Amino acid sequence: MKALIVDDEKHVRDAIRLLSDWEGNGITEVLEASDGEAAAEAIREHAPQIVMTDMKMPRKDGVQLLTWIRDNAPECKALVISGYDDFELIRHTIRSGGVDYILKPVEPEALNEALARAVNAWRSDEEKRAAQIRQSIEVNEMKPHYADKLLSELVAGHGGTERAVGLLRGQAGMPETAGEAQVGLISLEQLDAGLLGKFQRDRQLLAFMVLNICNELLKNKGTAFQHLNRYGEIVLLYWDRQMPFRAVFDRINEGFELALRRRLHAGLSGFLPFPDGAGKAYKEARAALWRRNLLESGERLHAADAGEQPARFPRLSGRADKLRLAALGGKDEQMAAAADEWLEEMKQQPSVTPENIAEWNDEWDWLQKQWEDGNEGRAAEAANDETPETENGAYPLPLDSEGLLSWPLWREMMLGRLKAASRLLAALHTKDNHIIHDIARYVEAHYREEVSLQDIASHFFLSREYISRKFKQEFGVTMSDFLSRIRIDKAKVLLRNTPLRISQIAESVGYRDENYFSKVFKKQEGVRPGEYRKQFSGEG
């Protein structure tokens, strides 16, 4: 904290410097000025928190200086030290926001009482300013989330139509006359594993990059937002009839290629009545994106075809016995032969879609569940039954950098799932739990990263449901709680042994949000990180 002494007499400045308890009030730097003009320059340059000024001075006097401080540096706290017991001067001091008016000759006790009041007043105001800044930051952070929530509800058909339309017209530039709109859809799940791997620790950053590029080029023609109920989906709401969506999407892809050396695929609906048709438009765009043919190159904008029905895809259930025998055998050649036989059948298909591969993953999880439960016979009998439906994108799609099907990657994925099934079946026969312990070791090694159940399922080629259930059985806690315990234990070590700021510690153990880290820490330890550090310091 800095203080400025303003007086045209040097011996008065020396006396104030000598009599004031600077250290006790947290003041580490004391400046001087011989008149109001020099004081204004010092305030502009050094921004002192406390100004102690005389009233009668050449050039700019104390009255003028107080008025200047009120208008140009209102955060400063001023106290007057004057030889004039003048009511008008006292009144001007009060009106200008001065903290106190002390008469010369200066009494040390009165001087330090006034100085303490000025310091306390500044600190109180600073706390209020800091609270307002924090509140402003929180509001600004919540604005995009609130918009995403309203618009996600709109396209999901969950209501909130009036608020969503008001937001679009107030913030996104949607004209009152826009009675129709179309929806474009981008899914981060349909990017290749190489690119997704680069953002493994911060997938949200990738989403922000896509959103920023889209909104920069959509200006007043549409808006882009994250679908909060669909992992990795960016929805583009477009209402401009004058410029075709394709023209804007081509520019979006140019920007994305410049930033990340990739081009996006998107599904596109037709123009439908807005806002009532927003939900239908979203479904059309989603169907177009997830039913695009991964064997055909060239087109990146996939239009919806209302009359088109998804082609029937060969079911894994018809090969259940062969796949199970290959997994039980546990030999690489046998599993590779089973995978190649399946892929040869797939290569005869005229179309393979992202939806097909997602369904293939779901069906594999279902088969694996039958084997785990010891109901292998039921799998063959249920070849024509429907498997449980789950979200698209539960596993990474085997796509190349162009967003098309990579046969080698699909083969690698299938071999991985066969080997995982082999280990699972072996564990069931030996009553061992090596797989779950391998997963626990993986979590311990990657606790700093964004470790999700979906990522682990993809890495170990097991279903999320199986991992979640078995983890709880083996360790008595959910995988999320297990990960939190590891992170908080690491944080405790850092709090006890390093001077790192709490925000730095939070980030080093895998939490990007300091407030969320503090909440998790308090839930587990009963105190906040700062309190924990103080307790330990006190014990030490």
Side-chain angles (χ1 to χ4, degrees):
M1 186 177 290
K2 301 176 185 177
L4 172 65
I5 304 172
V6 189
D7 199 295
D8 58 334
E9 297 183 84
K10 186 177 184 304
H11 72 275
V12 174
R13 298 199 301 270
D14 291 342
I16 294 171
R17 182 184 282 271
L18 182 64
L19 295 174
S20 297
D21 182 10
W22 306 117
E23 185 178 351
N25 286 289
I27 294 172
T28 58
E29 185 176 352
V30 181
L31 309 165
E32 293 185 17
S34 59
D35 57 56
E37 195 67 46
E41 291 177 10
I43 292 170
R44 277 193 291 261
E45 183 177 352
H46 300 286
Q49 288 80 18
I50 308 298
V51 176
M52 308 165 80
T53 183
D54 189 13
M55 292 303 275
K56 298 292 185 178
M57 296 179 293
R59 295 207 294 173
K60 183 180 287 186
D61 63 15
V63 172
Q64 294 169 313
L65 177 60
L66 290 174
T67 302
W68 184 91
I69 289 174
R70 182 193 62 195
D71 296 338
N72 296 277
E75 66 280 0
C76 284
K77 294 301 175 186
L79 58 94
V80 173
I81 303 172
S82 174
Y84 297 89
D85 188 4
D86 187 322
F87 175 74
E88 287 301 321
L89 294 179
I90 296 172
R91 185 168 68 170
H92 185 81
T93 299
I94 295 170
R95 285 180 174 178
S96 300
V99 175
D100 220 322
Y101 194 102
I102 304 170
L103 290 173
K104 297 176 183 177
V106 178
E107 294 290 336
E109 186 177 349
L111 175 64
N112 284 305
E113 284 179 0
L115 178 59
R117 281 194 292 273
V119 168
N120 290 335
W122 183 87
R123 285 175 176 162
S124 176
D125 288 353
E126 181 66 12
E127 288 177 4
K128 292 176 183 176
R129 284 193 292 270
Q132 289 173 347
I133 290 170
R134 286 195 299 271
Q135 185 177 9
S136 176
I137 291 171
E138 289 172 1
V139 168
N140 287 332
E141 287 177 344
M142 285 300 294
K143 277 181 181 178
H145 182 81
Y146 177 69
D148 289 351
K149 182 176 184 296
L150 281 183
L151 297 175
S152 295
E153 290 175 350
L154 175 68
V155 298
H158 295 157
T161 302
E162 289 184 8
R163 287 180 298 167
V165 172
L167 182 143
L168 288 169
R169 289 177 176 158
Q171 296 183 19
M174 187 179 197
E176 296 281 346
T177 55
E180 292 184 318
Q182 60 185 152
V183 167
L185 185 69
I186 296 166
S187 174
L188 302 186
E189 299 302 320
Q190 294 200 25
L191 294 170
D192 62 284
L195 179 59
L196 293 175
K198 292 179 181 178
F199 290 87
Q200 180 64 42
R201 292 198 63 180
D202 195 355
R203 192 66 58 85
Q204 190 63 28
L205 176 60
L206 177 59
F208 284 151
M209 289 180 69
V210 177
L211 281 169
N212 287 340
I213 293 170
C214 291
N215 279 319
E216 182 67 26
L217 295 167
L218 282 170
K219 284 180 181 175
N220 298 321
K221 300 178 179 65
T223 190
F225 62 93
Q226 287 193 80
H227 196 315
L228 297 184
N229 302 323
R230 295 278 191 177
Y231 180 75
E233 283 194 356
I234 308 296
V235 182
L236 293 81
L237 194 62
Y238 192 76
W239 52 77
D240 191 336
R241 279 284 198 175
Q242 302 303 312
M243 179 181 288
F245 181 85
R246 178 179 294 277
V248 178
F249 183 67
D250 286 344
R251 293 182 63 197
I252 289 171
N253 255 336
E254 289 170 7
F256 196 70
E257 184 173 38
L258 188 65
L260 292 171
R261 307 298 182 197
R262 296 290 194 280
R263 283 184 170 260
L264 300 161
H265 286 265
L268 182 65
S269 75
F271 271 96
L272 291 172
F274 184 84
D276 296 338
K280 184 179 179 182
Y282 164 75
K283 289 178 181 177
E284 282 186 9
R286 194 167 197 275
L289 182 61
W290 282 92
R291 292 174 186 171
R292 68 184 178 93
N293 191 349
L294 297 175
L295 306 179
E296 293 181 352
S297 61
E299 185 58 74
R300 291 184 177 273
L301 186 60
H302 308 275
D305 186 344
E308 183 183 6
Q309 294 298 318
R312 188 164 181 81
F313 198 65
R315 301 289 295 272
L316 273 176
S317 305
R319 294 177 175 271
D321 289 338
K322 287 184 178 181
L323 294 169
R324 177 177 169 275
L325 287 173
L328 273 173
K331 294 182 178 179
D332 290 346
E333 318 85 70
Q334 193 174 359
M335 288 187 280
D340 289 338
E341 187 177 343
W342 162 260
L343 291 175
E344 282 303 317
E345 183 179 353
M346 293 304 97
K347 288 178 181 178
Q348 306 307 313
Q349 303 301 314
S351 171
V352 178
T353 70
E355 186 177 63
N356 293 150
I357 297 175
E359 289 172 350
W360 174 85
N361 273 307
D362 293 341
E363 191 176 9
W364 187 281
D365 288 344
W366 178 77
L367 283 175
Q368 195 167 275
K369 180 68 167 60
Q370 306 307 308
W371 298 343
E372 180 199 344
D373 290 344
N375 295 325
E376 298 89 346
R378 285 173 52 192
E381 294 172 7
N384 295 318
D385 292 344
E386 290 297 323
T387 58
E389 183 178 344
T390 62
E391 293 288 341
N392 291 335
Y395 296 90
L397 298 174
L399 305 180
D400 61 20
S401 60
E402 294 296 315
L404 302 176
L405 179 61
S406 167
W407 293 106
L409 284 178
W410 201 6
R411 184 178 188 274
E412 182 182 331
M413 178 185 284
M414 187 159 194
L415 280 174
R417 302 218 68 179
L418 275 168
K419 290 176 182 178
S422 178
R423 294 182 65 192
L424 171 64
L425 291 171
L428 290 172
H429 282 286
T430 60
K431 302 298 181 185
D432 206 344
N433 284 295
H434 287 318
I435 298 175
I436 295 303
H437 285 278
D438 286 347
I439 291 172
R441 283 190 287 271
Y442 178 87
V443 172
E444 289 173 344
H446 295 81
Y447 71 92
R448 291 185 179 91
E449 302 171 11
E450 289 185 10
V451 182
S452 69
L453 186 58
Q454 176 176 321
D455 294 332
I456 291 175
S458 303
H459 185 82
F460 286 90
F461 299 98
L462 295 170
S463 72
R464 291 173 294 182
E465 186 271 342
Y466 172 80
I467 294 172
S468 179
R469 180 162 39 85
K470 285 296 183 182
F471 204 96
K472 183 71 179 288
Q473 289 175 3
E474 184 65 16
F475 295 103
V477 295
T478 65
M479 196 184 73
S480 176
D481 288 340
F482 182 83
L483 175 60
S484 294
R485 287 185 181 181
I486 293 171
R487 286 174 166 173
I488 298 305
D489 285 344
K490 300 289 185 184
K492 286 161 64 179
V493 174
L494 294 174
L495 286 165
R496 293 197 303 265
N497 297 286
T498 74
L500 292 172
R501 296 194 304 272
I502 291 174
S503 60
Q504 293 174 308
I505 291 175
E507 186 170 358
S508 70
V509 299
Y511 293 102
R512 295 193 174 274
D513 186 329
E514 182 184 344
N515 291 331
Y516 180 67
F517 163 68
S518 294
K519 288 178 182 177
V520 175
F521 193 98
K522 185 174 182 181
K523 181 179 179 182
Q524 183 168 314
E525 298 299 320
V527 293
R528 292 190 174 276
E531 296 167 344
Y532 176 86
R533 174 176 266 168
K534 287 179 183 177
Q535 287 177 0
F536 182 81
S537 299
E539 291 171 4

